[in-house]
Amino acid sequence: MRYAVLRSVGNGSAFLRGDVRRRLGRVAHLSLVGATLLLGGAAAPVQPSQARTAGLPEAGTAADPGVPARPVAAWNDFCARYPSECTVDPGEPAVVSLTPATWHMLTTVNRRVNARIKPITDMAHWGVVDRWDFPDDGFGDCEDIQLLKRRMLVERRLPRRALRMTVVIDEIGEGHAVLMVRTDRGDLILDNKTNAVLPWRRTGYSFVKREGQDGRAWVSLNSDTSPATTANR
């Protein structure tokens, strides 16, 4: 189109040729602006940090440990039967980097174990009020289910030191066990009562104590109430 217009001018003045060029340039500019508005504007470039955190939960906080605390009695019995499960390796990372792949792993393991294990009380299962064990027969209560999740995550190469068994008071005022995953985006909770992996502050629970990260002793989580058992499905 531009070639035809310039040819029609022939040997006219330079002024005319320049005027034609300016008019064509203006038309082209307006056309570009119109196309941009029609398409909703140019998309902002994705920053590397945005790509790394796409699909992840908002960054949260860590549950600050208090003074050393005694674990529930059933934990000591569990450690006597499975000493490697209770050994703390200070050479392991204390927190994990929450990447999209790690987030997918946590949500998948939480959902699959919740669907796989049928809830049952320790009294009905083992004939005792409180026992911590792996639900290898397909049945277990809260702590058994979280122990299986922890074992599966360790098998997937997450550091055991960042996967801490934790005792809480639940929504009905009973002792309950959850798995706390310590990440660089805050502490997350895997729970058999929900398939959602939640930041610890969004669970609605009162946090009592959890495994320590430097030895066998547990640490308090600033709660005045400590349940004697976690016999809760």
Side-chain angles (χ1 to χ4, degrees), residues 17-61:
R17 290 195 298 272
D19 184 61
V20 170
R21 291 192 183 95
R22 285 193 296 273
R23 288 175 182 273
L24 288 172
R26 185 180 179 188
V27 169
H29 173 73
L30 292 175
S31 297
L32 178 60
V33 171
T36 301
L37 292 174
L38 182 63
L39 294 174
V46 177
Q47 300 298 322
S49 59
Q50 293 174 320
R52 287 194 299 270
T53 59
L56 299 182
E58 292 185 4
T61 61

Coordinates of all heavy atoms in Angstrom, one line a residue, residues 17-61:
R17 N 6.2 14.3 -0.3 CA 6.6 12.9 0.0 C 6.8 12.8 1.6 O 6.5 11.8 2.1 CB 8.0 12.6 -0.7 CG 7.8 12.4 -2.2 CD 9.0 11.7 -2.8 NE 10.2 12.5 -2.6 CZ 10.6 13.4 -3.6 NH1 9.8 13.7 -4.6 NH2 11.7 14.1 -3.4
G18 N 7.4 13.8 2.2 CA 7.6 13.7 3.6 C 6.2 13.7 4.4 O 6.0 13.1 5.4
D19 N 5.3 14.5 3.8 CA 3.9 14.5 4.4 C 3.3 13.2 4.4 O 2.6 12.7 5.3 CB 3.1 15.6 3.7 CG 1.7 15.8 4.4 OD1 1.7 16.1 5.6 OD2 0.7 15.5 3.7
V20 N 3.4 12.5 3.2 CA 2.8 11.2 3.1 C 3.5 10.2 4.1 O 2.8 9.4 4.7 CB 3.0 10.7 1.6 CG1 2.7 9.2 1.5 CG2 2.2 11.5 0.6
R21 N 4.8 10.3 4.2 CA 5.5 9.4 5.1 C 5.0 9.6 6.6 O 4.7 8.7 7.3 CB 7.0 9.6 5.1 CG 7.6 9.2 3.8 CD 9.1 9.1 3.9 NE 9.8 8.8 2.7 CZ 10.2 9.6 1.8 NH1 10.1 10.9 2.0 NH2 10.8 9.2 0.7
R22 N 4.8 10.9 7.0 CA 4.3 11.2 8.3 C 2.9 10.7 8.5 O 2.6 10.1 9.6 CB 4.4 12.7 8.5 CG 5.8 13.2 8.8 CD 5.7 14.7 9.3 NE 5.1 15.6 8.4 CZ 5.8 16.2 7.4 NH1 7.2 16.0 7.3 NH2 5.3 17.1 6.6
R23 N 2.1 10.8 7.5 CA 0.7 10.3 7.6 C 0.7 8.8 7.8 O -0.1 8.3 8.6 CB -0.1 10.8 6.4 CG -0.5 12.3 6.4 CD -1.2 12.6 5.1 NE -1.4 14.1 5.0 CZ -2.5 14.6 5.6 NH1 -3.5 13.9 6.2 NH2 -2.7 15.9 5.5
L24 N 1.5 8.1 6.9 CA 1.5 6.7 7.0 C 2.1 6.2 8.4 O 1.6 5.2 8.9 CB 2.4 6.1 5.9 CG 1.7 6.2 4.5 CD1 2.7 5.8 3.4 CD2 0.5 5.4 4.4
G25 N 3.1 6.9 8.9 CA 3.6 6.6 10.2 C 2.6 6.7 11.3 O 2.5 5.9 12.2
R26 N 1.8 7.8 11.2 CA 0.8 8.0 12.2 C -0.3 6.9 12.1 O -0.8 6.4 13.2 CB 0.1 9.4 12.0 CG -0.9 9.8 13.0 CD -1.4 11.1 12.8 NE -2.4 11.5 13.8 CZ -3.2 12.5 13.8 NH1 -3.1 13.3 12.7 NH2 -4.0 12.8 14.8
V27 N -0.7 6.5 10.9 CA -1.7 5.5 10.8 C -1.2 4.2 11.3 O -1.9 3.5 12.0 CB -2.0 5.3 9.3 CG1 -2.9 4.0 9.1 CG2 -2.8 6.5 8.8
A28 N 0.1 3.9 11.0 CA 0.7 2.6 11.6 C 0.7 2.7 13.1 O 0.5 1.7 13.8 CB 2.1 2.4 11.0
H29 N 1.1 3.8 13.7 CA 1.2 3.9 15.1 C -0.2 3.7 15.8 O -0.4 3.0 16.7 CB 1.7 5.3 15.5 CG 1.7 5.6 17.0 ND1 2.5 5.0 17.9 CD2 0.8 6.4 17.7 CE1 2.2 5.4 19.1 NE2 1.2 6.2 19.0
L30 N -1.2 4.4 15.2 CA -2.6 4.2 15.7 C -3.1 2.8 15.6 O -3.8 2.3 16.5 CB -3.5 5.2 15.0 CG -3.3 6.7 15.3 CD1 -4.2 7.6 14.4 CD2 -3.5 7.0 16.8
S31 N -2.7 2.1 14.5 CA -3.1 0.8 14.3 C -2.5 -0.1 15.4 O -3.1 -1.0 16.0 CB -2.7 0.3 12.9 OG -3.4 1.0 11.9
L32 N -1.2 0.1 15.7 CA -0.5 -0.6 16.8 C -1.2 -0.4 18.1 O -1.4 -1.4 18.9 CB 0.9 -0.3 16.8 CG 1.8 -1.0 17.9 CD1 1.8 -2.5 17.7 CD2 3.2 -0.5 17.8
V33 N -1.5 0.8 18.4 CA -2.1 1.1 19.7 C -3.5 0.4 19.8 O -3.9 -0.1 20.8 CB -2.3 2.7 19.9 CG1 -3.2 3.0 21.1 CG2 -0.9 3.3 20.0
G34 N -4.3 0.5 18.7 CA -5.6 -0.1 18.7 C -5.5 -1.6 18.9 O -6.2 -2.2 19.7
A35 N -4.5 -2.3 18.3 CA -4.3 -3.7 18.4 C -3.9 -4.1 19.9 O -4.4 -5.1 20.4 CB -3.2 -4.2 17.5
T36 N -3.1 -3.2 20.5 CA -2.6 -3.5 21.9 C -3.8 -3.4 22.8 O -4.0 -4.3 23.7 CB -1.6 -2.5 22.3 OG1 -0.4 -2.6 21.4 CG2 -1.1 -2.7 23.7
L37 N -4.7 -2.4 22.6 CA -5.8 -2.2 23.5 C -6.8 -3.4 23.3 O -7.4 -3.9 24.2 CB -6.5 -0.9 23.2 CG -5.8 0.4 23.6 CD1 -6.5 1.6 23.1 CD2 -5.6 0.4 25.1
L38 N -7.0 -3.8 22.0 CA -7.9 -4.9 21.7 C -7.4 -6.2 22.4 O -8.2 -7.0 22.9 CB -8.0 -5.1 20.2 CG -8.9 -6.2 19.7 CD1 -10.4 -5.8 20.1 CD2 -8.8 -6.3 18.2
L39 N -6.1 -6.4 22.5 CA -5.6 -7.6 23.1 C -5.4 -7.6 24.6 O -5.0 -8.5 25.2 CB -4.3 -8.0 22.4 CG -4.3 -8.4 20.9 CD1 -2.9 -8.5 20.4 CD2 -5.1 -9.6 20.7
G40 N -5.8 -6.4 25.1 CA -5.7 -6.3 26.6 C -4.3 -5.8 27.1 O -4.0 -5.9 28.2
G41 N -3.5 -5.3 26.2 CA -2.2 -4.8 26.6 C -1.1 -5.9 26.6 O -1.4 -7.1 26.7
A42 N 0.1 -5.6 26.6 CA 1.2 -6.5 26.6 C 1.3 -7.1 28.0 O 1.2 -6.5 29.0 CB 2.5 -5.9 26.2
A43 N 1.6 -8.4 28.1 CA 1.7 -9.1 29.4 C 3.1 -8.8 30.0 O 4.1 -8.7 29.3 CB 1.6 -10.6 29.2
A44 N 3.0 -8.6 31.3 CA 4.3 -8.3 32.0 C 5.1 -9.6 32.1 O 4.6 -10.7 32.2 CB 4.0 -7.8 33.5
P45 N 6.4 -9.4 31.9 CA 7.3 -10.6 32.0 C 7.2 -11.3 33.3 O 7.1 -10.7 34.3 CB 8.7 -10.0 31.7 CG 8.6 -8.6 32.1 CD 7.2 -8.2 31.8
V46 N 7.3 -12.6 33.3 CA 7.3 -13.4 34.6 C 8.7 -13.4 35.2 O 9.6 -13.8 34.5 CB 6.8 -14.9 34.3 CG1 6.9 -15.7 35.6 CG2 5.4 -14.9 33.7
Q47 N 8.7 -13.0 36.4 CA 10.0 -12.9 37.1 C 10.4 -14.3 37.6 O 9.6 -15.1 37.9 CB 9.9 -12.0 38.3 CG 9.5 -10.5 38.0 CD 10.6 -9.9 37.1 OE1 11.8 -10.1 37.2 NE2 10.1 -9.1 36.1
P48 N 11.7 -14.6 37.6 CA 12.2 -15.9 38.1 C 11.6 -16.3 39.5 O 11.3 -17.4 39.7 CB 13.7 -15.8 38.1 CG 14.0 -14.7 37.1 CD 12.8 -13.7 37.2
S49 N 11.5 -15.3 40.4 CA 11.0 -15.6 41.7 C 9.6 -16.0 41.7 O 9.1 -16.9 42.4 CB 11.2 -14.4 42.7 OG 10.5 -13.3 42.1
Q50 N 8.8 -15.4 40.7 CA 7.4 -15.8 40.6 C 7.2 -17.2 40.1 O 6.3 -17.9 40.5 CB 6.7 -14.8 39.7 CG 6.6 -13.3 40.3 CD 6.0 -12.4 39.3 OE1 6.3 -12.4 38.1 NE2 5.1 -11.5 39.8
A51 N 8.1 -17.5 39.1 CA 8.0 -18.9 38.5 C 8.3 -19.9 39.6 O 7.7 -21.0 39.6 CB 9.0 -19.0 37.4
R52 N 9.3 -19.6 40.5 CA 9.6 -20.6 41.5 C 8.6 -20.9 42.5 O 8.5 -21.9 43.2 CB 10.9 -20.2 42.2 CG 12.2 -20.3 41.4 CD 13.4 -20.2 42.2 NE 13.5 -18.9 42.9 CZ 14.1 -17.8 42.4 NH1 14.7 -17.9 41.2 NH2 14.2 -16.7 43.0
T53 N 7.7 -19.9 42.8 CA 6.7 -20.0 43.8 C 5.3 -20.1 43.3 O 4.3 -20.1 44.0 CB 6.7 -18.7 44.7 OG1 6.5 -17.5 43.9 CG2 8.1 -18.6 45.4
A54 N 5.1 -20.3 42.0 CA 3.8 -20.5 41.3 C 3.1 -21.7 41.9 O 3.7 -22.8 42.0 CB 4.0 -20.6 39.8
G55 N 1.9 -21.5 42.4 CA 1.1 -22.7 42.9 C 1.4 -23.0 44.3 O 0.7 -23.9 44.9
L56 N 2.3 -22.3 45.0 CA 2.6 -22.6 46.4 C 1.7 -21.8 47.3 O 1.2 -20.7 46.9 CB 4.1 -22.3 46.7 CG 5.2 -23.0 45.9 CD1 6.6 -22.6 46.3 CD2 5.0 -24.5 46.0
P57 N 1.5 -22.2 48.5 CA 0.8 -21.4 49.5 C 1.6 -20.2 49.9 O 2.8 -20.1 49.7 CB 0.7 -22.4 50.7 CG 1.8 -23.3 50.6 CD 2.0 -23.5 49.1
E58 N 0.9 -19.2 50.4 CA 1.5 -17.9 50.8 C 2.5 -18.3 51.9 O 2.3 -19.2 52.7 CB 0.5 -16.9 51.3 CG -0.4 -16.4 50.3 CD -1.3 -15.3 50.8 OE1 -1.2 -14.9 52.0 OE2 -2.2 -14.8 50.1
A59 N 3.6 -17.5 51.9 CA 4.7 -17.7 52.9 C 4.1 -17.5 54.3 O 3.3 -16.5 54.5 CB 5.8 -16.8 52.7
G60 N 4.3 -18.4 55.2 CA 3.8 -18.3 56.6 C 4.9 -18.1 57.6 O 6.0 -17.6 57.3
T61 N 4.7 -18.6 58.8 CA 5.6 -18.5 59.9 C 6.0 -19.8 60.5 O 5.4 -20.8 60.2 CB 5.0 -17.6 61.0 OG1 3.9 -18.3 61.5 CG2 4.6 -16.2 60.6

